[in-house]
Amino acid sequence: MTAWSSSAAAALVLAAILAGGGPAAAQDGRAAFDARCASCHALGASAPAGPGPHLAGLRGRRVGGDPGFDYSPVLRAATGNWTADRLDRFLADPEEMFPGLWMGGNGIDDPAARRAVVEFLMSR
Ligand code: HEC
């Protein structure tokens, strides 16, 4: 692949992210999830426990709602359910939403990448 065509491909991917929604964004969200979250979070409820809770069926799920995971006090005390908006605000600055969280600063600063991961997790 030439330098030109790879940068054109990158521009297309970026355009797809910025446009938001659609299969391209969901696919990109999966790639970002695999790269930044999958080392700690499984996507299947029956997956073996990892360092973090599984994230199956996160849309509408209670915050701190994986019964097999031993959450920090701040997440055990949390109330309400996950929505796209709440997840987006969480990932922008996880410790601001939940001071004392055990997630080691693993949010996503870039709004487009964050949106793609949120859409991916909410669409499953
Ligand atoms: C180093 C491991 C690690 C990484 C990387 C990580 N997390 Fe987490 N995550 C955790 C842990 C541990 C918890 C539980 C924290 C607690 O109990 O305070 C958690 C909690 C969460 C929760 C709350 C789950 C619930 O049941 O309410 C969400 C949502 C979440 N992480 C999403 C993500 C996303 C999206 C990414 C990737 C951008 C990510 N995490 C990256 C370890 C990680």
Side-chain angles (χ1 to χ4, degrees):
M1 198 186 258
T2 66
W4 182 86
S5 65
S6 69
S7 64
L12 281 177
V13 169
L14 189 63
I17 296 170
L18 294 177
Q27 227 171 53
D28 206 77
R30 172 179 275 280
F33 181 88
D34 285 347
R36 311 172 71 144
C37 322
S39 55
C40 294
H41 292 289
L43 288 171
S46 59
H54 77 71
L55 298 181
L58 199 63
R59 177 196 284 276
R61 193 173 101 176
R62 199 166 59 73
V63 175
D66 172 1
F69 188 78
D70 192 14
Y71 289 97
S72 64
V74 67
L75 273 196
R76 277 204 300 271
T79 56
N81 295 20
W82 286 113
T83 61
D85 183 55
R86 193 171 190 185
L87 185 59
D88 188 73
R89 282 185 290 116
F90 171 70
L91 292 175
D93 190 346
E95 268 119 54
E96 195 198 319
M97 184 176 282
F98 297 117
L101 186 79
W102 295 340
M103 203 169 101
N106 280 290
I108 306 179
D109 287 335
D110 177 61
R114 195 166 68 231
R115 199 73 221 164
V117 169
V118 168
E119 278 180 23
F120 168 65
L121 284 173
M122 289 288 124
S123 69
R124 302 183 58 263

